[in-house]
Amino acid sequence: MSVSPAMRAPLTLLPLQLDGVVFAVGGRRIIDGVSLSIEAARRAVIVGPNGAGKSVLLRLCHGLLRPTAGTIRWNAPEVQGAPRRQAMVFQRPVMLRRSALDNVIYALGVAGVPRHEREQRGREALRKVGLEALAGNPARVLSGGEQQRLALARAWALKPEILFLDEPTASLDPGATHEIEKVILAMHDSGTTVAMVTHNLGQARRLGDEILFLHQGRLVERAPAARFFKHPGSPEAAQFLEGELPW
């Protein structure tokens, strides 16, 4: 018995392929000819000095920016009107003037998730990040760490294939950072690929299984995390790890 296309499982988004990607502003190349592939089930951490283009690269991958040149292709593009299959969390997430639960429910609605699924998925996401008891609290009065966990809950509720993270713990204390890292690892263990920017090299060691090192808009090095930190393969990466490049 043949299966109709509508009954087949959707093709996966990944890998995400970038070929010769350039992003320029005012004639200056912020991203300069980057080619790479982001494979499923990875934890890719992007590091590099200030001005290297890390956050811009992440926004290009997520689709918030369009490249000046080159191509960015998903294995199977998202279908317009269907629930989103990728998500992004920023350093300072925007909290809506509503409860923690309603923040998640609203995000599910915007993403195209059917109405009858939203509350259950929202409560489950809050439970996963340890905010179930705060579901009815106004989101804007939560602590910084709790707001970032709420942002992760909004993303996790979407059941994304890939999660982009832009400095998610940059403004948090060590305790809150530890909680966020636990959530990120739990999301990855549940099947979500992670692509993350961080300035925290200890965090890059803890969370990354591969490191992408950017310098002056170019992808200078890509290596397994253990090898990158022990034996960087480029002079620029070695200088960066020794603190000789500006942060």
Side-chain angles (χ1 to χ4, degrees):
M1 175 181 173
S2 63
V3 179
S4 69
M7 295 174 62
R8 293 178 186 145
L11 294 174
T12 61
L13 289 178
L14 299 170
L16 175 63
Q17 185 70 44
L18 283 68
D19 292 308
V21 170
V22 173
F23 184 79
V25 176
R28 183 172 76 89
R29 291 191 171 198
I30 299 172
I31 297 297
D32 190 7
V34 169
S35 296
L36 63 89
S37 178
I38 298 179
E39 306 289 337
R42 306 295 291 174
R43 296 193 309 270
V45 177
I46 304 169
V47 301
N50 277 340
K54 303 181 296 295
S55 293
V56 171
L57 180 62
L58 213 63
R59 284 163 169 76
L60 286 163
C61 290
H62 185 50
L64 293 177
L65 298 173
R66 291 188 177 183
T68 306
T71 60
I72 300 175
R73 299 188 310 274
W74 295 103
N75 176 60
E78 291 184 289
V79 177
Q80 188 172 3
R84 297 299 308 274
R85 295 160 65 192
Q86 55 151 320
M88 186 164 179
V89 171
F90 299 90
Q91 178 179 339
R92 295 181 179 86
V94 175
M95 296 288 110
L96 303 177
R97 293 181 181 273
R98 55 191 73 194
S99 71
L101 176 60
D102 284 340
N103 264 262
V104 182
I105 290 174
Y106 179 83
L108 289 169
V110 171
V113 173
R115 183 181 298 273
H116 68 274
E117 297 181 17
R118 295 174 196 169
E119 181 170 352
Q120 180 181 351
R121 283 174 63 166
R123 290 189 182 279
E124 177 65 11
L126 290 179
R127 184 192 63 77
K128 288 177 178 177
V129 304
L131 293 179
E132 186 175 22
L134 302 179
N137 290 27
R140 292 190 175 186
V141 304
L142 299 177
S143 70
E146 289 167 345
Q147 287 189 357
Q148 196 62 288
R149 278 190 282 156
L150 177 54
L152 287 168
R154 288 191 301 206
W156 203 345
L158 297 174
K159 303 177 182 178
E161 288 188 40
I162 183 168
L163 174 66
F164 297 103
L165 297 161
D166 189 8
E167 296 277 4
T169 64
S171 58
L172 302 181
D173 61 40
T177 294
H178 176 66
E179 292 301 316
I180 295 299
E181 290 182 1
K182 287 200 303 183
V183 173
I184 293 169
L185 289 173
M187 288 188 70
H188 178 262
D189 288 344
S190 74
T192 297
T193 299
V194 172
M196 174 178 176
V197 166
T198 184
H199 275 98
N200 184 331
L201 294 185
Q203 184 173 77
R205 289 175 184 265
R206 291 189 296 272
L207 297 185
D209 51 31
E210 65 174 350
I211 303 296
L212 282 66
F213 173 67
L214 261 64
H215 182 50
Q216 297 180 345
R218 296 184 176 92
L219 180 60
V220 175
E221 185 169 348
R222 180 177 190 173
R227 189 174 77 199
F228 176 83
F229 287 108
K230 288 183 180 179
H231 305 291
S234 65
E236 294 90 346
Q239 289 178 323
F240 173 70
L241 293 174
E242 291 167 5
E244 296 178 9
L245 293 180
W247 284 75

